[in-house]
Each structure stands twice: as structure tokens, then as C-alpha cells.
């Protein structure tokens, strides 16, 4: 049972998932800080009667709707998704395609000639 667990953990997909989770969490912290510390106050300067986008709201029949926090959550999600895509996914896919084409490279004429001469030398006389 322990051997099966070791095989499972050592599979590439599990390791990729773990790395992706850690990188995603790190990006989330950076992006959240950027949005809440810089972007939200800048948008708050544009909006009337608000300090930041996080405090933007409206009231209907005594119920307060915090629409600014929803907008911040959407901005965070889109920024994290874009950061992970452009910093992790695209370079990884490019590297994967490049390594796949490197394996499929046809031998040069020189390599073909050496292989042919080796084959001729192995033939019985």
C-alpha cells in the first residue's frame, strides 16, 4: 500500500498540481495586495463619496449592497488568472512544445551517413 502511495505521489500530475497550487497562492497574495492597496483607492478617487472601491455601496430599504467588494473580487480573480496564465502556463506550454519538437528532430545528413556506414560495417562479408 505504501509503494502504491509513493507511485501516486511521484506521478507528474500530482507534482504539477502541488506546484500550481503553491504558485497560485503566491500570486493571489501579490494580486490581492495590489488591488486592495493601489487599484481600489485609485478607483475610489474617481467615485463620489467613497474612500476606496471596497467601501462603494448603495442602500435599498435599509439593506446595504456592497457592490464595490464584488467588483474587487472579480478584479482579483481576473488578475490572478491572467498572471498565472502569462507567467506559468504559457511559458510551460512553450517549453513543452519545444522539448517535444526537439525529440522529433530528424537526424542530419552527417548522422544519417554515420548510421549507414555503421550498418554496412556490421554486415557479414
Amino acid at each position: 500500500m505504501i509503494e502504491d502511495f509513493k507511485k501516486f505521489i511521484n506521478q507528474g500530475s500530482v507534482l504539477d498540481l502541488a506546484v500550481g497550487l503553491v504558485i497560485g497562492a503566491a500570486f493571489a497574495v501579490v494580486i490581492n495586495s495590489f488591488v486592495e492597496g493601489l487599484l481600489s483607492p485609485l478607483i475610489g478617487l474617481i467615485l463620489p463619496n467613497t474612500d476606496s472601491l471596497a467601501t462603494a455601496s448603495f442602500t435599498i430599504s435599509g439593506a446595504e449592497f456592497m457592490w464595490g467588494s464584488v467588483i474587487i473580487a472579480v478584479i482579483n480573480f481576473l488578475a490572478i488568472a491572467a498572471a498565472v496564465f502569462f507567467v506559468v502556463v504559457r511559458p510551460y506550454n512553450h517549453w513543452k512544445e519545444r522539448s517535444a519538437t526537439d525529440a522529433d528532430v530528424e537526424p542530419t545528413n552527417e548522422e544519417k551517413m554515420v548510421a549507414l556506414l555503421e550498418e554496412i560495417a556490421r554486415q557479414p562479408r
Side-chain angles (χ1 to χ4, degrees):
M1 187 162 93
I2 292 174
E3 290 299 320
D4 290 338
F5 182 71
K6 284 182 184 178
K7 286 179 188 176
F8 172 73
I9 291 298
N10 289 328
Q11 288 178 348
S13 59
V14 174
L15 296 175
D16 291 343
L17 178 63
V19 169
L21 204 72
V22 170
I23 290 173
F27 274 122
V29 170
V30 172
I31 297 297
N32 286 338
S33 176
F34 171 75
V35 171
E36 291 173 8
L38 294 174
L39 196 59
S40 178
L42 286 174
I43 294 173
L45 292 174
I46 298 170
L47 297 174
N49 303 326
T50 58
D51 295 334
S52 72
L53 184 58
T55 59
S57 64
F58 63 90
T59 306
I60 298 177
S61 299
E64 187 174 14
F65 295 89
M66 303 291 292
W67 64 271
S69 60
V70 174
I71 299 298
I72 286 177
V74 170
I75 291 171
N76 281 339
F77 171 76
L78 293 175
I80 291 168
V84 168
F85 178 75
F86 287 112
V87 176
V88 177
V89 174
R90 281 191 82 199
Y92 176 75
N93 287 341
H94 180 69
W95 171 78
K96 201 171 176 183
E97 287 173 4
R98 224 172 78 192
S99 64
T101 57
D102 288 346
D104 297 338
V105 173
E106 188 174 322
T108 63
N109 286 336
E110 187 175 295
E111 292 169 336
K112 288 178 185 176
M113 191 66 128
V114 169
L116 181 61
L117 290 173
E118 287 174 350
E119 187 179 324
I120 291 172
R122 277 185 260 143
Q123 291 179 353
R125 297 183 182 179

